[in-house]
Coordinates of all heavy atoms in Angstrom, one line a residue:
M61 N -22.2 53.7 150.1 CA -21.7 52.4 149.7 C -23.0 51.7 149.1 O -23.8 51.3 149.9 CB -21.1 51.6 150.8 CG -20.6 50.3 150.3 SD -20.1 49.3 151.7 CE -21.6 49.0 152.4
D62 N -23.1 51.5 147.8 CA -24.2 50.9 147.2 C -24.0 49.4 146.9 O -24.9 48.6 146.7 CB -24.6 51.6 145.9 CG -24.9 53.0 146.1 OD1 -25.8 53.3 147.1 OD2 -24.4 53.9 145.5
S63 N -22.7 48.9 146.9 CA -22.4 47.6 146.6 C -22.7 46.7 147.8 O -22.4 47.0 149.0 CB -21.0 47.5 146.2 OG -20.6 46.1 146.2
P64 N -23.4 45.5 147.6 CA -23.5 44.6 148.7 C -22.2 43.8 149.0 O -22.3 42.7 149.6 CB -24.6 43.7 148.2 CG -24.5 43.7 146.7 CD -23.9 45.1 146.3
L65 N -21.1 44.3 148.5 CA -19.8 43.7 148.9 C -19.1 44.6 149.9 O -19.2 45.9 149.9 CB -18.9 43.7 147.7 CG -19.2 42.6 146.7 CD1 -18.3 42.7 145.4 CD2 -19.0 41.2 147.2
L66 N -18.4 43.9 150.8 CA -17.8 44.7 151.9 C -16.3 44.1 152.0 O -16.2 42.8 152.0 CB -18.5 44.5 153.2 CG -18.0 45.2 154.4 CD1 -18.3 46.7 154.2 CD2 -18.7 44.8 155.7
K67 N -15.4 45.0 152.1 CA -14.0 44.5 152.2 C -13.7 44.3 153.8 O -13.8 45.2 154.5 CB -13.0 45.4 151.6 CG -11.6 44.8 151.5 CD -10.7 45.7 150.7 CE -9.4 44.9 150.3 NZ -8.3 45.7 149.8
I68 N -13.4 43.1 154.1 CA -13.1 42.8 155.5 C -11.7 42.1 155.5 O -11.5 41.1 154.8 CB -14.1 41.8 156.1 CG1 -15.5 42.4 156.1 CG2 -13.7 41.5 157.6 CD1 -16.6 41.5 156.4
D69 N -10.8 42.7 156.3 CA -9.4 42.3 156.3 C -8.9 42.4 154.7 O -8.9 43.5 154.2 CB -9.3 40.8 156.8 CG -7.9 40.5 157.3 OD1 -7.0 41.4 157.2 OD2 -7.7 39.3 157.6
D70 N -8.5 41.3 154.1 CA -8.1 41.4 152.8 C -9.1 40.7 151.8 O -8.8 40.4 150.7 CB -6.7 40.9 152.6 CG -6.7 39.4 152.9 OD1 -7.6 38.9 153.6 OD2 -5.7 38.7 152.6
K71 N -10.3 40.5 152.3 CA -11.3 39.8 151.4 C -12.6 40.6 151.2 O -13.1 41.3 152.1 CB -11.7 38.5 152.2 CG -10.5 37.6 152.5 CD -10.9 36.6 153.6 CE -9.7 35.9 154.2 NZ -9.0 36.8 155.1
W72 N -13.0 40.5 150.0 CA -14.4 41.1 149.7 C -15.4 40.1 149.9 O -15.4 38.9 149.4 CB -14.4 41.5 148.1 CG -13.5 42.7 147.9 CD1 -12.3 42.7 147.4 CD2 -14.0 44.0 148.1 NE1 -11.9 44.0 147.3 CE2 -12.9 44.9 147.7 CE3 -15.1 44.7 148.6 CZ2 -12.9 46.3 147.7 CZ3 -15.1 46.1 148.7 CH2 -14.0 46.8 148.3
V73 N -16.4 40.5 150.8 CA -17.4 39.5 151.2 C -18.8 40.0 150.8 O -19.0 41.2 151.2 CB -17.3 39.3 152.7 CG1 -18.4 38.3 153.2 CG2 -15.9 38.8 153.1
P74 N -19.6 39.2 150.2 CA -21.0 39.7 149.9 C -21.7 39.7 151.3 O -21.6 38.8 152.1 CB -21.6 38.6 149.0 CG -20.4 37.7 148.6 CD -19.4 37.9 149.7
L75 N -22.4 40.8 151.6 CA -23.1 41.0 152.8 C -24.1 39.9 153.1 O -24.3 39.5 154.2 CB -23.8 42.4 152.8 CG -22.9 43.6 152.9 CD1 -23.7 44.9 152.7 CD2 -22.2 43.6 154.2
Y76 N -24.7 39.4 152.1 CA -25.7 38.3 152.3 C -25.1 37.0 152.7 O -25.8 36.1 153.0 CB -26.6 38.1 151.0 CG -25.8 37.7 149.8 CD1 -25.4 36.5 149.5 CD2 -25.6 38.7 148.9 CE1 -24.8 36.1 148.4 CE2 -24.8 38.4 147.7 CZ -24.4 37.2 147.4 OH -23.8 36.8 146.3
R77 N -23.8 36.8 152.7 CA -23.1 35.6 153.2 C -22.9 35.8 154.8 O -22.6 34.8 155.4 CB -21.8 35.3 152.6 CG -21.8 35.4 151.1 CD -22.7 34.4 150.5 NE -22.4 33.0 150.9 CZ -22.5 31.9 150.1 NH1 -23.1 32.1 148.9 NH2 -22.3 30.7 150.6
I78 N -23.1 36.9 155.4 CA -22.8 37.1 156.7 C -23.9 36.7 157.6 O -25.1 37.1 157.3 CB -22.4 38.6 157.0 CG1 -21.1 38.9 156.3 CG2 -22.3 38.8 158.5 CD1 -20.7 40.4 156.4
V79 N -23.7 35.8 158.6 CA -24.7 35.4 159.5 C -24.8 36.3 160.7 O -25.9 36.7 161.1 CB -24.5 33.9 159.8 CG1 -25.6 33.4 160.7 CG2 -24.4 33.0 158.6
W80 N -23.7 36.5 161.2 CA -23.6 37.4 162.4 C -22.2 38.0 162.6 O -21.2 37.5 162.0 CB -24.0 36.7 163.7 CG -23.4 35.4 164.1 CD1 -24.0 34.1 163.9 CD2 -22.1 35.1 164.6 NE1 -23.0 33.1 164.3 CE2 -21.9 33.7 164.8 CE3 -21.0 36.0 165.0 CZ2 -20.7 33.2 165.2 CZ3 -19.8 35.4 165.5 CH2 -19.7 34.0 165.6
V81 N -22.1 39.0 163.4 CA -20.9 39.8 163.6 C -20.7 39.8 165.2 O -21.7 40.2 165.9 CB -20.9 41.2 163.1 CG1 -19.6 41.9 163.3 CG2 -21.1 41.1 161.6
A82 N -19.5 39.4 165.6 CA -19.3 39.4 167.1 C -19.4 40.8 167.7 O -18.8 41.8 167.1 CB -17.9 38.8 167.3
D83 N -19.9 40.9 168.8 CA -20.0 42.1 169.5 C -18.8 42.3 170.4 O -18.5 43.5 170.8 CB -21.3 42.2 170.3 CG -21.6 43.6 170.9 OD1 -21.4 44.6 170.2 OD2 -22.0 43.7 172.1
V84 N -18.2 41.2 170.8 CA -17.0 41.4 171.7 C -15.9 40.6 171.1 O -16.1 39.6 170.3 CB -17.4 40.8 173.1 CG1 -18.4 41.7 173.9 CG2 -17.9 39.4 173.0
P85 N -14.7 41.0 171.5 CA -13.5 40.3 170.9 C -13.5 38.8 171.3 O -13.9 38.4 172.3 CB -12.3 41.0 171.5 CG -12.8 42.3 172.0 CD -14.2 42.0 172.3
H86 N -13.0 37.9 170.4 CA -12.9 36.5 170.7 C -12.0 36.2 171.8 O -10.9 36.7 172.0 CB -12.4 35.8 169.4 CG -12.1 34.4 169.6 ND1 -13.2 33.5 169.6 CD2 -11.0 33.7 169.7 CE1 -12.6 32.2 169.7 NE2 -11.3 32.3 169.8
F87 N -12.5 35.3 172.7 CA -11.5 34.7 173.7 C -12.0 33.3 174.0 O -13.2 33.1 174.3 CB -11.6 35.6 175.0 CG -10.9 34.9 176.1 CD1 -9.4 35.0 176.2 CD2 -11.5 34.1 177.1 CE1 -8.8 34.3 177.2 CE2 -10.8 33.5 178.1 CZ -9.5 33.6 178.2
C88 N -11.2 32.3 173.8 CA -11.5 30.9 174.1 C -10.6 30.3 175.0 O -10.9 29.2 175.5 CB -11.6 30.2 172.8 SG -10.0 30.0 172.0
G89 N -9.4 30.9 175.4 CA -8.5 30.4 176.3 C -7.6 29.3 175.7 O -6.7 28.8 176.4
E90 N -7.7 29.0 174.4 CA -6.9 28.0 173.8 C -5.5 28.6 173.7 O -5.3 29.7 173.2 CB -7.4 27.6 172.4 CG -8.7 26.9 172.4 CD -8.6 25.5 172.8 OE1 -7.5 24.9 172.7 OE2 -9.7 24.9 173.2
P91 N -4.4 27.9 174.1 CA -3.1 28.5 174.1 C -2.6 28.7 172.7 O -1.8 29.7 172.4 CB -2.1 27.5 174.8 CG -2.9 26.2 174.8 CD -4.4 26.5 174.7
D92 N -3.1 27.9 171.7 CA -2.6 28.2 170.3 C -3.6 28.9 169.5 O -3.6 28.9 168.2 CB -2.3 26.8 169.6 CG -3.4 25.9 169.7 OD1 -4.5 26.2 170.4 OD2 -3.4 24.8 169.0
C93 N -4.5 29.7 170.0 CA -5.6 30.4 169.4 C -4.9 31.5 168.5 O -4.1 32.2 169.0 CB -6.5 30.9 170.3 SG -7.9 31.8 169.5
M94 N -5.3 31.6 167.3 CA -4.8 32.6 166.4 C -5.6 33.9 166.4 O -5.3 34.8 165.7 CB -4.8 32.0 164.9 CG -4.0 30.7 164.8 SD -2.1 31.1 164.8 CE -2.0 31.9 163.2
H95 N -6.7 33.9 167.0 CA -7.7 35.0 166.8 C -8.1 35.7 168.1 O -9.0 36.4 168.2 CB -9.0 34.4 166.2 CG -8.7 33.8 164.9 ND1 -8.3 34.5 163.8 CD2 -8.8 32.5 164.4 CE1 -8.2 33.7 162.7 NE2 -8.4 32.5 163.1
E96 N -7.2 35.5 169.1 CA -7.4 36.1 170.4 C -7.5 37.7 170.2 O -6.7 38.3 169.6 CB -6.3 35.8 171.3 CG -6.6 36.0 172.8 CD -7.2 34.7 173.4 OE1 -7.1 33.6 172.8 OE2 -7.7 34.8 174.5
G97 N -8.6 38.3 170.8 CA -8.8 39.8 170.6 C -9.3 40.2 169.3 O -9.5 41.4 169.1
E98 N -9.5 39.4 168.4 CA -10.1 39.7 167.0 C -11.6 39.5 167.1 O -12.2 38.8 167.9 CB -9.5 38.9 165.9 CG -8.0 39.3 165.7 CD -7.5 38.5 164.5 OE1 -7.7 37.3 164.3 OE2 -6.8 39.2 163.6
Y99 N -12.3 40.2 166.2 CA -13.7 40.0 166.0 C -14.2 39.0 165.0 O -13.6 39.1 163.9 CB -14.4 41.4 165.8 CG -14.2 42.4 166.9 CD1 -13.1 43.1 167.1 CD2 -15.3 42.5 167.8 CE1 -13.0 44.0 168.1 CE2 -15.2 43.4 168.8 CZ -14.0 44.2 169.1 OH -13.9 45.0 170.1
E100 N -15.0 38.1 165.3 CA -15.4 37.1 164.4 C -16.5 37.5 163.5 O -17.5 38.1 164.1 CB -15.7 35.8 165.1 CG -16.0 34.6 164.1 CD -16.2 33.3 164.9 OE1 -16.2 33.3 166.2 OE2 -16.4 32.3 164.2
I101 N -16.5 37.3 162.3 CA -17.6 37.5 161.4 C -18.0 36.2 160.8 O -17.2 35.6 160.0 CB -17.3 38.6 160.3 CG1 -17.0 39.9 161.0 CG2 -18.4 38.7 159.3 CD1 -16.5 41.0 160.1
R102 N -19.1 35.7 161.2 CA -19.6 34.3 160.8 C -20.2 34.4 159.4 O -21.1 35.2 159.1 CB -20.6 33.8 161.8 CG -21.0 32.4 161.6 CD -19.8 31.4 161.8 NE -20.3 30.1 161.5 CZ -19.5 29.0 161.7 NH1 -18.3 29.2 162.3 NH2 -20.0 27.8 161.4
L103 N -19.7 33.4 158.5 CA -20.3 33.3 157.2 C -21.2 32.1 157.1 O -21.1 31.2 157.9 CB -19.2 33.2 156.2 CG -18.2 34.4 156.2 CD1 -17.1 34.1 155.1 CD2 -18.8 35.7 156.0
D104 N -22.1 32.1 156.1 CA -23.0 31.0 156.1 C -22.5 29.7 155.4 O -23.2 28.8 155.2 CB -24.3 31.5 155.3 CG -24.0 31.7 153.8 OD1 -22.9 31.7 153.5 OD2 -24.9 32.0 153.0
V105 N -21.2 29.7 155.1 CA -20.6 28.5 154.6 C -19.8 27.7 155.5 O -18.8 27.1 155.2 CB -19.6 28.9 153.4 CG1 -20.5 29.3 152.2 CG2 -18.7 30.1 153.7
D106 N -20.2 27.8 156.8 CA -19.5 27.1 157.9 C -18.1 27.6 158.0 O -17.2 26.7 158.2 CB -19.7 25.6 157.7 CG -19.5 24.8 159.0 OD1 -19.8 25.5 160.0 OD2 -19.1 23.7 159.0
D107 N -17.9 28.9 157.9 CA -16.5 29.4 157.9 C -16.7 30.8 158.6 O -17.7 31.4 158.6 CB -15.9 29.5 156.6 CG -14.4 29.8 156.7 OD1 -13.9 29.7 157.7 OD2 -13.9 30.1 155.6
S108 N -15.6 31.3 159.1 CA -15.6 32.7 159.7 C -14.4 33.5 159.1 O -13.4 32.9 158.7 CB -15.5 32.6 161.2 OG -16.6 32.0 161.7
I109 N -14.5 34.8 159.1 CA -13.4 35.6 158.9 C -13.2 36.4 160.1 O -14.1 36.6 160.9 CB -13.6 36.5 157.6 CG1 -14.9 37.2 157.7 CG2 -13.4 35.7 156.4 CD1 -15.1 38.1 156.5
W110 N -12.0 37.0 160.3 CA -11.6 37.6 161.6 C -11.1 39.0 161.2 O -10.4 39.2 160.2 CB -10.5 36.8 162.2 CG -11.0 35.4 162.6 CD1 -11.0 34.4 161.7 CD2 -11.6 35.1 163.8 NE1 -11.5 33.3 162.3 CE2 -11.9 33.6 163.7 CE3 -11.8 35.6 165.0 CZ2 -12.4 32.9 164.7 CZ3 -12.3 34.9 166.1 CH2 -12.7 33.6 165.9
T111 N -11.4 39.9 162.1 CA -11.0 41.3 161.8 C -10.8 42.1 163.1 O -11.1 41.5 164.2 CB -12.1 42.0 160.9 OG1 -11.5 43.3 160.6 CG2 -13.4 42.2 161.7
N112 N -10.3 43.3 163.0 CA -10.1 44.1 164.2 C -11.4 44.9 164.5 O -12.4 44.7 163.8 CB -9.0 45.0 164.0 CG -9.1 45.9 162.8 OD1 -10.2 46.1 162.3 ND2 -8.0 46.5 162.4
G113 N -11.4 45.7 165.5 CA -12.7 46.4 165.9 C -13.1 47.3 164.8 O -14.3 47.5 164.6
E114 N -12.2 47.9 164.1 CA -12.6 48.8 163.0 C -13.3 48.0 161.8 O -14.3 48.5 161.4 CB -11.3 49.5 162.4 CG -11.5 50.8 161.7 CD -10.2 51.4 161.3 OE1 -9.3 51.6 162.2 OE2 -10.0 51.7 160.2
G115 N -12.7 46.9 161.5 CA -13.3 46.1 160.5 C -14.7 45.6 160.9 O -15.7 45.5 160.1
R116 N -14.8 45.3 162.2 CA -16.1 44.8 162.7 C -17.2 46.0 162.5 O -18.3 45.7 162.1 CB -15.9 44.4 164.2 CG -17.1 43.7 164.8 CD -18.3 44.6 165.2 NE -17.9 45.7 166.0 CZ -17.8 45.7 167.3 NH1 -18.1 44.7 168.0 NH2 -17.5 46.9 168.0
D117 N -16.8 47.2 163.0 CA -17.7 48.3 162.8 C -18.1 48.6 161.4 O -19.3 48.8 161.1 CB -17.0 49.5 163.4 CG -16.9 49.5 164.9 OD1 -17.5 48.6 165.5 OD2 -16.1 50.3 165.5
E118 N -17.2 48.4 160.5 CA -17.5 48.6 159.1 C -18.5 47.6 158.6 O -19.4 47.9 157.8 CB -16.2 48.6 158.2 CG -15.5 49.8 158.3 CD -14.1 49.7 157.5 OE1 -14.0 48.8 156.7 OE2 -13.2 50.6 157.8
A119 N -18.3 46.3 159.1 CA -19.2 45.3 158.7 C -20.6 45.5 159.2 O -21.6 45.3 158.5 CB -18.7 44.0 159.2
V120 N -20.7 45.9 160.5 CA -22.0 46.2 161.0 C -22.7 47.4 160.3 O -23.9 47.3 160.0 CB -21.9 46.5 162.5 CG1 -23.2 47.0 163.1 CG2 -21.4 45.3 163.3
Q121 N -21.9 48.4 160.0 CA -22.5 49.5 159.3 C -23.0 49.1 157.9 O -24.0 49.5 157.5 CB -21.4 50.7 159.1 CG -21.3 51.6 160.3 CD -20.1 52.5 160.2 OE1 -19.6 52.8 159.0 NE2 -19.5 52.9 161.2
G122 N -22.1 48.3 157.2 CA -22.5 47.9 155.9 C -23.8 47.1 155.9 O -24.7 47.3 155.1
L123 N -23.9 46.2 156.9 CA -25.1 45.3 157.1 C -26.3 46.2 157.4 O -27.4 46.0 156.8 CB -24.8 44.3 158.2 CG -24.0 43.1 157.8 CD1 -23.6 42.3 159.0 CD2 -24.7 42.2 156.8
T124 N -26.1 47.1 158.3 CA -27.2 48.0 158.7 C -27.7 48.7 157.5 O -29.0 48.7 157.2 CB -26.8 49.0 159.8 OG1 -26.2 48.2 160.9 CG2 -28.0 49.8 160.3
K125 N -26.9 49.3 156.7 CA -27.3 50.1 155.6 C -28.0 49.1 154.5 O -29.0 49.5 154.0 CB -26.1 50.7 154.9 CG -26.5 51.7 153.9 CD -25.3 52.7 153.5 CE -25.8 53.7 152.5 NZ -24.7 54.5 152.0
W126 N -27.4 48.0 154.4 CA -27.9 47.1 153.4 C -29.3 46.5 153.8 O -30.2 46.4 153.0 CB -26.9 45.9 153.3 CG -27.3 44.8 152.3 CD1 -27.4 45.1 150.9 CD2 -27.5 43.5 152.5 NE1 -27.8 43.9 150.3 CE2 -27.8 42.9 151.2 CE3 -27.5 42.7 153.6 CZ2 -28.1 41.6 151.1 CZ3 -27.8 41.3 153.5 CH2 -28.1 40.8 152.2
C127 N -29.5 46.3 155.1 CA -30.8 45.8 155.6 C -31.8 46.9 155.5 O -33.0 46.6 155.2 CB -30.6 45.3 157.1 SG -29.7 43.9 157.3
N128 N -31.4 48.1 155.7 CA -32.4 49.2 155.6 C -32.8 49.6 154.2 O -33.9 50.1 153.9 CB -31.8 50.5 156.2 CG -31.8 50.4 157.7 OD1 -32.4 49.5 158.3 ND2 -30.9 51.2 158.4
G129 N -32.0 49.2 153.3 CA -32.3 49.4 151.8 C -32.0 50.9 151.5 O -31.7 51.7 152.4
P130 N -32.1 51.3 150.2 CA -31.8 52.6 149.8 C -32.8 53.5 150.4 O -34.0 53.1 150.5 CB -31.9 52.6 148.3 CG -32.7 51.4 148.0 CD -32.4 50.4 149.1
S131 N -32.4 54.7 150.8 CA -33.5 55.7 151.4 C -34.3 56.2 150.2 O -33.9 56.2 149.1 CB -32.7 56.9 152.0 OG -32.1 57.6 151.0
P132 N -35.5 56.7 150.5 CA -36.3 57.3 149.4 C -35.6 58.3 148.6 O -35.7 58.4 147.4 CB -37.5 57.8 150.1 CG -37.5 57.0 151.4 CD -36.1 56.8 151.7
G133 N -34.8 59.2 149.3 CA -34.1 60.2 148.6 C -33.2 59.7 147.5 O -33.1 60.2 146.4
E134 N -32.5 58.6 147.8 CA -31.5 58.1 146.9 C -32.2 57.4 145.7 O -31.8 57.5 144.5 CB -30.7 57.0 147.6 CG -29.6 57.6 148.5 CD -28.9 56.5 149.3 OE1 -28.8 55.4 148.8 OE2 -28.4 56.8 150.4
D135 N -33.4 56.9 145.9 CA -34.2 56.3 144.8 C -34.6 57.4 143.9 O -34.5 57.2 142.7 CB -35.4 55.7 145.4 CG -35.3 54.1 145.5 OD1 -34.2 53.7 145.2 OD2 -36.3 53.4 145.8
E136 N -35.1 58.6 144.4 CA -35.5 59.6 143.5 C -34.4 60.1 142.6 O -34.6 60.5 141.5 CB -36.1 60.8 144.4 CG -37.5 60.5 144.8 CD -37.9 61.5 145.9 OE1 -37.3 62.6 146.0 OE2 -38.7 61.1 146.8
K137 N -33.2 60.2 143.2 CA -32.1 60.7 142.4 C -31.8 59.8 141.2 O -31.5 60.3 140.1 CB -30.8 60.7 143.3 CG -30.3 62.1 143.7 CD -29.0 62.0 144.4 CE -29.2 61.5 145.8 NZ -27.9 61.3 146.5
Q138 N -31.9 58.5 141.3 CA -31.6 57.6 140.3 C -32.7 57.6 139.2 O -32.3 57.4 138.0 CB -31.5 56.1 140.8 CG -30.1 55.9 141.4 CD -30.0 54.5 142.0 OE1 -31.0 53.7 142.1 NE2 -28.7 54.0 142.2
W139 N -33.9 57.9 139.6 CA -34.9 57.8 138.5 C -35.5 59.1 138.1 O -36.5 59.6 138.4 CB -36.1 56.9 139.0 CG -35.5 55.5 139.2 CD1 -35.2 54.9 140.4 CD2 -35.2 54.4 138.2 NE1 -34.8 53.6 140.2 CE2 -34.7 53.4 138.9 CE3 -35.3 54.5 136.8 CZ2 -34.3 52.3 138.2 CZ3 -34.9 53.4 136.2 CH2 -34.4 52.2 136.8
Ligands
ZN293 ZN1 -9.9 30.9 170.0

Protein backbone atom coordinates (compact mmCIF):
# COMPACT_ATOMS: atom_id res chain seq x y z
CA MET A 1 0.00 0.00 0.00
CA ASP A 2 1.77 3.12 -1.22
CA SER A 3 -1.08 5.58 -0.76
CA PRO A 4 -1.20 7.59 2.47
CA LEU A 5 -4.95 7.01 2.39
CA LEU A 6 -6.57 4.29 4.44
CA LYS A 7 -10.14 3.07 4.24
CA ILE A 8 -11.63 2.84 7.71
CA ASP A 9 -15.23 1.75 7.98
CA ASP A 10 -16.71 3.51 4.93
CA LYS A 11 -14.34 6.48 4.92
CA TRP A 12 -11.04 7.14 3.24
CA VAL A 13 -8.79 8.80 5.77
CA PRO A 14 -5.36 10.37 5.13
CA LEU A 15 -2.92 8.74 7.52
CA TYR A 16 -1.48 12.11 8.52
CA ARG A 17 -4.83 13.10 10.05
CA ILE A 18 -4.67 10.26 12.57
CA VAL A 19 -3.48 11.26 16.03
CA TRP A 20 -3.82 7.92 17.76
CA VAL A 21 -5.49 4.51 17.49
CA ALA A 22 -7.13 2.83 20.45
CA ASP A 23 -5.45 -0.29 21.76
CA VAL A 24 -8.53 -1.52 23.60
CA PRO A 25 -12.24 -1.39 22.72
CA HIS A 26 -14.14 1.66 23.88
CA PHE A 27 -16.04 1.44 27.13
CA CYS A 28 -17.45 4.48 28.92
CA GLY A 29 -20.52 3.06 30.69
CA GLU A 30 -22.90 5.57 29.11
CA PRO A 31 -26.25 3.79 28.55
CA ASP A 32 -26.77 5.49 25.17
CA CYS A 33 -23.21 5.00 23.93
CA MET A 34 -23.10 4.14 20.23
CA HIS A 35 -19.53 2.89 20.19
CA GLU A 36 -19.35 0.30 22.92
CA GLY A 37 -16.84 -2.39 21.91
CA GLU A 38 -15.56 -0.45 18.90
CA TYR A 39 -12.06 0.91 18.46
CA GLU A 40 -11.61 4.65 18.32
CA ILE A 41 -9.32 6.28 15.80
CA ARG A 42 -8.69 9.85 16.80
CA LEU A 43 -8.35 12.47 14.09
CA ASP A 44 -6.62 15.82 14.40
CA VAL A 45 -9.81 17.73 13.57
CA ASP A 46 -11.31 17.17 17.01
CA ASP A 47 -13.25 14.20 15.69
CA SER A 48 -12.98 10.44 15.82
CA ILE A 49 -13.95 7.57 13.62
CA TRP A 50 -14.90 4.16 14.92
CA THR A 51 -14.11 0.73 13.65
CA ASN A 52 -13.92 -2.92 14.63
CA GLY A 53 -10.76 -4.75 15.65
CA GLU A 54 -9.92 -5.60 12.05
CA GLY A 55 -10.20 -1.98 10.95
CA ARG A 56 -8.09 -0.93 13.90
CA ASP A 57 -5.36 -3.42 12.91
CA GLU A 58 -5.40 -2.15 9.33
CA ALA A 59 -5.05 1.40 10.57
CA VAL A 60 -2.08 0.51 12.78
CA GLN A 61 -0.43 -1.42 9.94
CA GLY A 62 -0.94 1.45 7.54
CA LEU A 63 0.46 3.95 10.01
CA THR A 64 3.44 1.75 10.82
CA LYS A 65 4.29 1.32 7.17
CA TRP A 66 3.79 5.00 6.47
CA CYS A 67 5.95 6.04 9.42
CA ASN A 68 8.74 3.70 8.33
CA GLY A 69 8.71 5.07 4.80
CA PRO A 70 9.46 3.04 1.70
CA SER A 71 12.07 0.36 2.08
CA PRO A 72 15.35 0.81 0.17
CA GLY A 73 14.38 -2.09 -2.09
CA GLU A 74 11.16 -0.39 -3.17
CA ASP A 75 13.04 2.81 -3.92
CA GLU A 76 15.46 1.02 -6.20
CA LYS A 77 12.65 -0.55 -8.17
CA GLN A 78 11.10 2.82 -8.96
CA TRP A 79 14.32 4.51 -10.11
ZN1 LIG B 1 -18.98 5.66 25.00
